Amino acid sequence: MKVTPWEVSGHIDYEKLIKEFGTSHITPQLLKRLEKLAGETHFMLDRRIFFSHRDLDWLLDKYERGEQFALYTGRGPSGDTHLGHLLPWVFSKWLQDRFDVEMYFQITDDEKFLAKDKLALDETNRLAYDNALDVIALGFDPSKTFIFVDTDYMKTMYRIAVQIAKHTTFSTAKAVFGFDNSTNIGISFYPAIQAATCFLPTFLKKMNVPVLIPAAIDQDPYWRITRDVAPKLGYYKPAAIHNTFLPGLQGPEGKMSSSKLESTIFTTDRPDDVKKKIQRAFSGGGATMKEHKEKGGNPDVDSACQYLYQMFEPDNNKIKEIFDGYRSGAISTGEVKDMLTKKVTAFLTEHQKKREQARKRLDKFILKD
Ligand code: TYM
């Protein structure tokens, strides 16, 4: 298993990650508390798609005492947006609606330019604004959502980033991110920039603002260094809530990733592509129809079942029916793939319409220096 901000591979053991990263489980008590304050639960919480956190209880204490928090999440624009990226954003939108809070959304054209040999800065900057359309299409509140692209907002960000950089040694950065002598110095400074957004609401409002970061667990190393530095600068430590990875279509290991085209559904994919990709997806079913009927399949490794579970079938009764049916062999691989194809196609048709409409609304969301 490898889980870093730049690589996720192998069989991912989330229990082990909680131990290694030093994060906390989302306990039933914490879940109840969140549900009470939000006024409802979310299936991604019930199903522990969001499975781990840092200081969420502290953040809720503050909220109960009347201190409004801000949300922070982001995207590294290395290509088109895929369904895995949308997962934490869909949940963030729910949090924004339920708690009526601001969202700061960072798009790191600098990071992807520095980390990917083949990407030019003009290209990552273009992709940044294109990816922003996916964020807007999800329906975030324009009066409370601030999207920025690093190289176009660096005047503000740099002032925060240098403070963090001064308190982070190269030896810490090496230990946390695995940098070595071949790492370019842009990437070795970059963590200070992703960390800086944790303090942006505080910096802009000139008062300490608690921040909650919904993101997959691969981003957690950034929050570790930020949390070390925060007290030295007189800021609150950021709180985080971590999601598991939506797997690639080709199997349960690793994650859906822009670099594996056949394994990934992009938000710009057409219905034909979606159908083809899902038809070829990894199946947990029996080798033949006969065998499947007799012995049943394994929904825990079946890509279509997992996509329904993690994102596309919010109804707990329906998902139970599907999983039970698949395990017993009463529901075939073809049938779950068809169910998923219908759900994803319906979602993307609507999303693509909203994505086009978002072009005209981009200015309402973008923060500029
Ligand atoms: P990026 O572009 O790799 O990923 C964007 C967000 O999607 C999550 N993610 C996934 N979640 C579920 N299943 C997957 N298969 C999957 N793949 C990616 C990531 O954890 C992330 O939340 N460095 C960041 C950009 C960034 C950022 C942030 C992300 C800047 N500030 C604050 C989160 C929070 C990046 O390259 O993300």
Side-chain angles (χ1 to χ4, degrees):
M1 161 172 91
K2 191 160 183 194
V3 177
T4 73
W6 298 290
E7 190 187 341
V8 175
S9 57
H11 169 74
I12 298 159
D13 180 341
Y14 290 102
E15 280 303 311
K16 199 167 163 204
L17 283 178
I18 288 185
K19 279 205 195 90
E20 275 179 12
F21 287 8
T23 66
S24 306
H25 287 98
I26 298 195
T27 60
Q29 295 88 310
L30 182 58
L31 205 63
K32 275 223 176 77
R33 199 173 164 207
L34 194 57
E35 180 178 344
K36 195 167 160 229
L37 292 170
E40 65 178 33
T41 186
H42 192 282
F43 74 93
M44 289 181 187
L45 285 168
D46 292 340
R47 295 178 193 174
R48 297 297 195 278
I49 311 302
F50 281 83
F51 70 104
S52 151
H53 76 100
R54 288 186 187 271
D55 272 350
L56 181 57
D57 30 15
W58 166 86
L59 185 105
L60 296 181
D61 289 345
K62 294 262 170 214
Y63 180 77
E64 279 182 326
R65 288 192 210 118
E67 240 180 283
Q68 193 64 314
F69 62 91
L71 295 166
Y72 160 37
T73 199
R75 161 79 179 131
S78 55
D80 287 341
T81 304
H82 64 58
L83 296 181
H85 301 133
L86 295 190
L87 194 155
W89 306 349
V90 165
F91 182 68
S92 302
K93 154 85 167 87
W94 177 80
L95 286 171
Q96 179 175 71
D97 290 347
R98 303 314 306 175
F99 290 92
D100 193 25
V101 286
E102 290 184 344
M103 154 63 89
Y104 292 80
F105 197 102
Q106 176 175 34
I107 311 192
T108 58
D109 58 341
D110 50 349
E111 175 195 15
K112 292 298 156 175
F113 164 65
L114 290 164
K116 303 263 176 186
D117 281 347
K118 292 204 177 94
L119 278 177
L121 190 54
D122 282 351
E123 179 61 1
T124 57
N125 188 263
R126 182 193 71 75
L127 284 165
Y129 288 96
D130 193 69
N131 291 177
L133 302 176
D134 290 299
V135 181
I136 297 170
L138 293 179
F140 286 97
D141 178 347
S143 67
K144 290 200 158 75
T145 304
F146 309 98
I147 303 176
F148 62 92
V149 177
D150 277 350
T151 62
D152 295 324
Y153 194 55
M154 205 29 69
K155 191 171 159 210
T156 305
M157 293 297 287
Y158 194 63
R159 291 176 151 258
I160 315 173
V162 280
Q163 295 183 55
I164 297 162
K166 189 170 177 177
H167 291 283
T168 309
T169 64
F170 189 52
S171 134
T172 301
K174 271 202 303 200
V176 174
F177 297 100
F179 296 151
D180 60 27
N181 281 352
S182 69
T183 306
N184 71 58
I185 60 172
I187 272 293
S188 63
F189 179 75
Y190 171 75
I193 296 171
Q194 183 152 333
T197 317
C198 299
F199 307 134
L200 182 64
T202 292
F203 185 82
L204 293 176
K205 290 183 193 301
K206 301 189 172 57
M207 59 183 259
N208 246 329
V209 180
V211 162
L212 174 65
I213 311 164
I217 188 102
D218 61 334
Q219 301 297 310
D220 188 72
Y222 290 110
W223 323 138
R224 240 174 286 157
I225 60 156
T226 319
R227 287 168 56 85
D228 281 351
V229 170
K232 296 179 190 152
L233 299 176
Y235 295 136
Y236 287 151
K237 292 181 180 187
I241 181 163
H242 307 107
N243 62 277
T244 58
F245 299 104
L246 192 69
L249 285 167
Q250 298 304 321
E253 302 221 321
K255 63 161 189 166
M256 181 173 271
S257 156
S258 320
S259 55
K260 297 179 218 146
L261 296 184
E262 71 299 338
S263 202
T264 301
I265 299 176
F266 294 97
T267 58
T268 47
D269 279 351
R270 298 285 147 203
D272 277 358
D273 302 323
V274 172
K275 192 169 173 189
K276 254 189 245 147
K277 286 182 184 178
I278 295 179
Q279 288 310 325
R280 290 185 198 139
F282 180 83
S283 151
T288 60
M289 274 288 241
K290 186 167 174 283
E291 191 187 312
H292 186 80
K293 279 220 162 77
E294 281 166 16
K295 296 193 183 144
N298 181 0
D300 300 330
V301 297
D302 183 279
S303 295
C305 287
Q306 282 306 307
Y307 282 40
L308 289 167
Y309 185 77
Q310 296 191 19
M311 267 185 101
F312 290 99
E313 183 46 82
D315 186 319
N316 287 335
N317 293 329
K318 280 199 189 138
I319 202 76
K320 185 170 183 313
E321 244 169 58
I322 296 169
F323 273 45
D324 287 350
Y326 198 68
R327 267 200 196 96
S328 75
I331 297 179
S332 71
T333 298
E335 282 167 328
V336 274
K337 285 185 172 174
D338 286 346
M339 283 179 214
L340 181 68
T341 305
K342 278 201 194 99
K343 293 257 181 196
V344 174
T345 309
F347 170 79
L348 285 183
T349 307
E350 204 42 41
H351 183 80
Q352 286 166 8
K353 253 191 243 153
K354 292 185 189 145
R355 210 177 172 281
E356 281 316 301
Q357 292 160 1
R359 287 183 199 282
K360 286 193 211 97
R361 302 170 61 227
L362 198 55
D363 275 355
K364 289 201 172 78
F365 289 86
I366 298 287
L367 269 184
K368 289 240 156 98
D369 277 323

